Amino acid sequence: MANRIPRVPVREQDPQVRAANFEEVCHGYDRQEALLEASRCLRCRKPRCVEACPVGIAIPDFIAALHEGRIAEAAGIIARDSSLPSVCGRVCPQETQCEGACVLGVKGEPVAIGKLERFVGDWQLENASGAAAAAVPRNGHKVAVIGSGPAGLACASDLAKTGYEVKIFEALHKVGGVLVYGIPEFRLPKERIVAREIEAVKRLGVEIETDVVVGRTVTVDSLLDEEGYEAVFIGSGAGLPRFMGIPGENLNGVVSANEFLTRANLMHAYDARYDTPIHVGRRVAVVGGGNVAMDTVRTARRLGAEATIVYRRSEKELPARAEEVHHAREEGIRFRMLTNPVEVLADERGWVRGLRCVEMELGEPDESGRRSPVAKPGSEFDLPCDVVVMALGTSPNPLIASTTEGLRTDRRGCIEADAQGATSRPGVFAGGDAVTGAATVILAMGAGRAAARAIDEYLRGKETARTE
């Protein structure tokens, strides 16, 4: 019986070796392993995995094709709904989405859907990377996409497949958004995976212009009024870091995770051939418990520091993926749970020398359902460190909203948009982290796809109105 076959384990780098390099941790499946794991899928009549996928990939169909050795067909099935399979197969939280809904997971281990998607995506990159995308006749309409992260790439891909002339405007010098500046090389290889999947998007006819800061170089208004674009999608992400507001946060040696990871990833600070400055010191404390905190602390470890996570709740409440926490522990990361900083301590030169913390205990649940941490009286202690990295989440940069008349935002600075991405400004759509705040790659892609459908409907409606 297919459901009696144990889940095929994934080969990984030895923890002691990988903790000192930036090569990819997981090696992924080979062909034999992928076909064996694919044989475990029950092909449910009502596949809950598809319902749990934010972009709606036909998961049983691609797995069935893979099981029968028709890998190109499997890749085509995925491509109908996702333009970034090799990326998503690596960084999506499958355990809470498709795999979390798998029937086999009720009494055993779910099908390794993410690892199978990664295998198919990587096979496609190796075997069909030069294949020309099917030509889609252009319909004469232009759409601008702001941001080349997951939301922007997904929106642009779907619009191009529908016949629109699409141009992405990216503020940085490198395309990919959070995929290139936020996620470390050891989780997501940049040239081998990200750059090649972006090339596949460009082969659909999508044009990409870098070093364009919308709100300064151009504005949403100028794109619509002067450059001939009939709709704009804002997928600019959430790059504005948050801090705690405690004494000492302005000391030398206190940085945001956003800056730390951008220096390491986008600017290659981990590579001795580059001169990008990054201050690590001997001991790094990373405040936070999400995936960004895990990426930061594991990067610091690879740069030679003794690295510690400081988190105010217990391990049970850690929002990071269980796989990332497991990998961090294997690599020697220290965890100070139920611990909250109250002050950053300075040495005589104005540099960080430590983090004053208090011990916490969990009280009543807050509005999110998680138990609120409460400080224990008289529990203060000092944690020695040279660098403090704040990984507390991010908000959207206010530049686009502040330079676009009629575009409403909420109290967090996020752009207000409905489920289809429509904003308060006609013809302007938004999705991903610019609307929700920092979230996952796959949720951003789902928002980009929803907005592409809404833009198509909006422009078809305008065209119909003109001809009546």
Side-chain angles (χ1 to χ4, degrees):
M1 294 283 291
N3 59 349
R4 292 183 181 175
I5 299 173
R7 180 165 164 145
V8 178
V10 180
R11 292 165 290 112
E12 298 178 344
Q13 269 200 84
D14 178 85
Q16 299 305 312
V17 174
R18 72 181 190 239
N21 68 51
F22 279 82
E23 295 169 18
E24 192 168 12
V25 170
C26 294
H27 296 306
Y29 287 149
D30 61 23
R31 182 189 175 97
Q32 183 178 354
E33 291 167 335
L35 267 60
L36 179 59
E37 181 61 24
S39 73
R40 299 181 65 233
C41 179
L42 299 177
R43 298 208 68 190
C44 303
R45 190 173 299 174
K46 293 184 178 180
R48 301 191 305 180
C49 56
V50 177
E51 295 176 8
C53 174
V55 297
I57 292 172
I59 294 168
D61 294 346
F62 101 72
I63 292 179
L66 172 59
H67 178 221
E68 294 169 7
R70 294 179 280 113
I71 305 176
E73 183 180 334
I77 293 169
I78 295 174
R80 294 200 300 256
D81 301 295
S82 173
S83 52
L84 304 171
S86 290
V87 169
C88 292
R90 286 169 166 80
V91 303
C92 278
Q94 293 100 3
E95 66 276 9
T96 60
Q97 294 175 345
C98 55
E99 293 180 20
C102 179
V103 170
L104 287 182
V106 175
K107 293 186 178 179
E109 290 189 287
V111 175
I113 298 168
K115 299 298 187 290
L116 295 180
E117 181 184 17
R118 166 185 167 156
F119 171 80
V120 173
D122 288 6
W123 182 93
Q124 179 75 358
L125 290 178
E126 292 300 325
N127 293 276
S129 60
V136 178
R138 293 295 171 229
N139 60 20
H141 297 284
K142 291 174 60 178
V143 179
V145 172
I146 301 171
S148 66
L153 291 170
C155 183
S157 296
D158 280 13
L159 287 170
K161 290 175 186 176
T162 314
Y164 290 92
E165 182 182 333
V166 185
K167 186 171 184 178
I168 296 176
F169 296 92
E170 168 56 48
L172 298 177
H173 65 282
K174 197 94 169 179
V175 180
V178 69
L179 303 177
V180 294
Y181 72 73
I183 302 176
E185 184 77 10
F186 57 81
R187 276 219 296 142
L188 184 62
K190 303 299 173 280
E191 295 303 320
R192 184 166 61 86
I193 300 301
V194 179
R196 291 165 75 182
E197 291 212 313
I198 289 171
E199 282 303 311
V201 172
K202 291 167 73 173
R203 286 197 297 273
L204 294 171
V206 175
E207 186 181 352
I208 304 177
E209 185 176 350
T210 57
D211 300 307
V212 179
V213 180
V214 177
R216 288 290 181 266
T217 315
V218 295
T219 64
V220 170
D221 290 323
S222 68
L223 292 172
L224 290 169
D225 299 337
E226 301 168 20
E227 300 200 26
Y229 293 97
E230 298 171 72
V232 173
F233 173 74
I234 302 172
S236 50
L240 190 66
R242 297 176 189 163
F243 289 87
M244 293 188 70
I246 59 176
E249 273 188 309
N250 61 340
L251 291 172
N252 295 317
V254 180
V255 296
S256 69
N258 186 288
E259 178 182 347
F260 189 87
L261 289 173
T262 298
R263 286 178 181 271
N265 300 331
L266 180 66
M267 303 170 71
H268 297 272
Y270 67 88
D271 191 332
R273 294 172 298 175
Y274 288 77
D275 293 328
T276 306
I278 188 167
H279 178 59
V280 179
R282 292 181 299 112
R283 293 170 294 193
V284 175
V286 177
V287 182
N291 290 324
V292 172
M294 295 305 146
D295 285 344
T296 304
V297 79
R298 295 172 69 197
T299 296
R301 174 76 178 87
R302 283 161 169 76
L303 291 171
E306 175 189 293
T308 303
I309 283 284
V310 178
Y311 184 59
R312 62 183 185 148
R313 289 183 164 95
S314 71
E315 184 158 347
K316 183 181 177 182
E317 284 80 27
L318 274 172
R321 295 184 67 190
E323 181 179 63
E324 303 308 321
V325 176
H326 170 68
H327 283 158
R329 285 196 179 281
E330 284 188 325
E331 292 162 9
I333 302 303
R334 302 182 179 189
F335 285 75
R336 296 299 300 253
M337 312 307 292
L338 291 168
T339 300
N340 199 41
V342 292
E343 183 181 357
V344 185
L345 305 175
D347 65 13
E348 64 281 357
R349 299 176 298 117
W351 285 81
V352 171
R353 68 171 176 83
L355 195 59
R356 181 154 295 163
C357 304
V358 293
E359 294 178 8
M360 310 294 283
E361 56 188 358
L362 296 179
E364 296 300 314
D366 60 17
E367 57 189 29
S368 70
R370 292 193 298 171
R371 294 171 65 191
S372 298
V374 180
K376 288 183 181 180
S379 63
E380 282 193 359
F381 68 96
D382 293 346
L383 179 69
C385 57
D386 314 300
V387 171
V388 174
V389 185
M390 296 296 182
L392 306 169
T394 52
S395 303
N397 189 305
L399 180 60
I400 292 177
S402 67
T403 57
T404 306
E405 193 171 343
L407 191 64
R408 285 202 298 267
T409 58
D410 63 19
R411 59 182 180 79
R412 300 176 300 153
C414 297
I415 297 169
E416 291 185 358
D418 64 18
Q420 286 69 50
T423 71
S424 56
R425 175 79 180 268
V428 178
F429 298 77
D433 294 1
V435 171
T436 62
T440 63
V441 167
I442 193 66
L443 287 174
M445 289 178 65
R449 297 200 72 207
R453 290 190 294 271
I455 290 169
D456 180 48
E457 187 177 320
Y458 167 76
L459 292 178
R460 286 181 187 275
K462 282 184 68 176
E463 191 168 29
T464 301
R466 279 199 300 266
T467 57
E468 288 178 349

